[in-house]
Amino acid sequence: ALCLPAHFRVALVTKNTLSLSASDWAQGGIAAVVAPDDSNDLHIADTLHAGADLCDYSAVKFLIENAAECIENLVEMGVAFDRYNGNLAMTLEAAHSRKRVLHAADTTGRAVVTTLVEQVLQRPNITVLAPALVLDIWKQQGRCHGVCIAYQNRIYWQAVTAVILATGGGGQVFAQTTNPVISTGDGVAIAHRAGAVLRDLEFVQFHPTALTKPGAPRFLISEAVRGEGAHLVDKTGHRFAFDYNPAGELAPRDVVSRAIFSHLQKTEPDPATANVWLDLRAIPVDRIQQRFPNIIRVCQKWGIDVFSEPIPVAPAAHYWMGGLEADLQNQTAVPGLYTVGETASTGVHGANRLASNSLLECLVFGAQFRTIDLPTAPVPPAVPQNIQPLTLAQSDVDWFKTRRKALRKLVWQSAGIVREQTKLDAAIAQIEQWQQEFQQLPTSQVLLNFTPVDQATFQTESEFHNIRAWSELYNLLTVSHLLLKSAAFRTESRGGHYRSDYPDTLDDWRVHTVIRGDQWSQGAVDRAD
């Protein structure tokens, strides 16, 4: 929004508050080549290696060569990165060959987002609509013409010149996730219904170390903790990660997550509810206090003293590498529809994201909107001819809640860290049945047949939340079906996608998974060679 030319009128639509996002929750930092002993070539090589032969080279090169300028812009805006002897401080994270992760203690995302929000609220051309909900894309004559939006007690169609989807990932499709409750895959689902091309949806990064205290949310314990020297141990104190990979705790995230999964399968009677331990006591106390104050606070809240005892952890769904296929200018296959951040598949992450490249991707690709080229002719607004009051039946609302919980459990069990064909097929069949039931609900009969001449009104804030519950379940059903079908389509193991029935990584699958409508196919990867 800040990078869009100032002569555009920009509406920033968010279903909660501007600050609630995965970006705000990002702990570790932002990867960028700043240190004299580092180089773009090294960062590119690390990214390509982590991406397991599925990164698009041109996108990776573009990301990394534009990183330093984005960091400079953030510093000029006032983002207070940690410093050491006056210079930007950097730490090491898994699969990086150099210390190149800039940070602001363990709340880097919050430091960035807070600064950006302050800037946005000062811009006269940007209007924040909150809470508001985009239900679908208005597509006309082959291009994006606007959105169907729920805002200020009505659902209506808003004509616009362009739509940018920056709605984050879909972690809430899994029962165990580090993502905020709002991360329901909205952008991917909405764009799929509008005819955009999707890519690589089977690749989900499961973060190995999420807090597993009973009653606590799956709070992320940053990878930077292991980068600073924390040990991953089982209940006997054994550093088991080295049994599965020579890099131990600093192997790529998918490797560490599978090591935990495999170890619990071997050593625990009920591995689904078991955990391992992250022991920070090898790190000097003052270093822990300086680098991880937020982790200290959250652990203390749940009765864990990180200075005297290890933290109970287990893997949880963290980051979605796939998304809407987009070029270096963030354009999707639908004219007038753009995407950026975790919703997008630009090709920079491949099959497994390199740690701390995600905030960098948001910044570098967000900056490309400085040169966006949009038509100047005004888009005719929708003129409502059919205005009707909308009240959701309580039976529908109850159905949303029970199905959402069941859906998340199903996807976690069938498409979590380890996948296999019979479970995938059974889950796909179940979701297809739920989709049919969903379409028959009275609420769906109204909203799924909503056209640009329709407008609905609702009276209360609770009704808005009910409409949001309907919309989020609609999107979760859509993206879970797409994810499961993609996982079944790729008959190999690579990066964040592991099939126990196809455990090998195969040359024939050095390709993107591409979804057009209801068709799955393979797509070429852009390689340096």
Side-chain angles (χ1 to χ4, degrees), residues 343-362:
T343 315
S345 172
T346 58
V348 300
H349 300 308
N352 194 23
R353 173 180 67 98
L354 182 66
S356 291
N357 269 357
S358 52
L359 285 178
L360 180 63
E361 182 194 24
C362 293

Side-chain angles (χ1 to χ4, degrees), residues 12 120 308 334 368 428:
L12 201 51
V120 160
S308 63
V334 178
Q368 300 319 299
I428 290 166

Side-chain angles (χ1 to χ4, degrees), residues 157 382-388 451-455:
W157 297 84
V383 180
Q385 299 169 16
N386 176 28
I387 302 175
Q388 55 183 317
T451 71
V453 297
D454 296 324
Q455 186 178 124

Side-chain angles (χ1 to χ4, degrees), residues 91-397:
T91 192
L92 183 70
E93 290 193 353
H96 286 273
S97 59
R98 294 287 187 276
K99 288 188 175 184
R100 67 166 68 94
V101 179
L102 296 90
H103 47 81
D106 58 349
T107 51
T108 307
R110 185 155 302 158
V112 173
V113 169
T114 301
T115 300
L116 296 180
V117 167
E118 289 171 357
Q119 297 269 336
V120 160
L121 296 178
Q122 294 171 14
R123 293 288 179 92
N125 69 314
I126 300 174
T127 302
V128 178
L129 307 185
L133 190 66
V134 171
L135 301 177
D136 257 321
I137 298 295
W138 177 10
K139 193 177 174 188
Q140 190 169 303
Q141 296 178 328
R143 70 170 288 117
C144 178
H145 191 75
V147 293
C148 180
I149 187 170
Y151 180 57
Q152 291 188 334
N153 291 11
R154 63 191 178 113
I155 300 175
Y156 60 98
W157 297 84
Q158 176 65 54
V160 297
T161 310
V163 171
I164 301 168
L165 294 169
T167 58
Q172 286 295 323
V173 80
F174 293 98
Q176 309 297 339
T177 181
T178 63
N179 287 192
V181 71
I182 57 173
S183 296
T184 49
D186 302 331
V188 169
I190 289 167
H192 174 65
R193 296 195 286 268
V197 176
L198 311 180
R199 198 165 66 170
D200 296 341
L201 296 185
E202 67 270 36
F203 293 110
V204 178
Q205 190 171 78
F206 296 93
H207 200 288
T209 54
L211 178 66
T212 57
K213 193 79 170 177
R218 289 294 179 264
F219 175 73
L220 175 73
I221 308 298
S222 170
E223 190 153 30
V225 173
R226 284 176 286 131
E228 292 287 351
H231 298 164
L232 199 57
V233 299
D234 63 13
K235 60 186 177 185
T236 69
H238 173 53
R239 292 177 69 182
F240 64 89
F242 288 94
D243 300 342
Y244 299 87
N245 189 279
E249 295 103 346
L250 292 179
R253 288 173 177 174
D254 63 303
V255 175
V256 179
S257 291
R258 282 197 300 278
I260 295 171
F261 178 87
S262 300
H263 198 68
L264 291 176
Q265 294 288 323
K266 291 178 184 177
T267 60
E268 294 291 341
D270 185 8
T273 59
N275 61 269
V276 293
W277 305 89
L278 190 63
D279 193 341
L280 277 64
R281 288 175 292 184
I283 309 171
V285 169
D286 60 344
R287 187 66 177 157
I288 297 173
Q289 291 170 331
Q290 175 198 352
R291 284 286 284 114
F292 308 116
N294 193 48
I295 290 173
I296 295 169
R297 279 194 297 272
V298 172
C299 287
Q300 283 177 339
K301 177 182 176 181
W302 296 101
I304 302 162
D305 178 5
V306 301
F307 300 105
S308 63
E309 61 185 319
I311 305 168
V313 294
H318 183 55
Y319 189 91
W320 204 1
M321 274 74 75
L324 311 181
E325 186 178 79
D327 63 17
L328 299 185
Q329 282 70 49
N330 307 305
Q331 291 183 342
T332 72
V334 178
L337 182 63
Y338 300 80
T339 183
V340 69
E342 194 173 350
T343 315
S345 172
T346 58
V348 300
H349 300 308
N352 194 23
R353 173 180 67 98
L354 182 66
S356 291
N357 269 357
S358 52
L359 285 178
L360 180 63
E361 182 194 24
C362 293
L363 296 164
V364 169
F365 284 85
Q368 300 319 299
F369 289 114
R370 289 177 300 202
T371 56
I372 194 169
D373 183 22
L374 298 178
T376 54
V379 180
V383 180
Q385 299 169 16
N386 176 28
I387 302 175
Q388 55 183 317
L390 179 66
T391 304
L392 276 64
Q394 187 59 45
S395 58
D396 282 10
V397 177

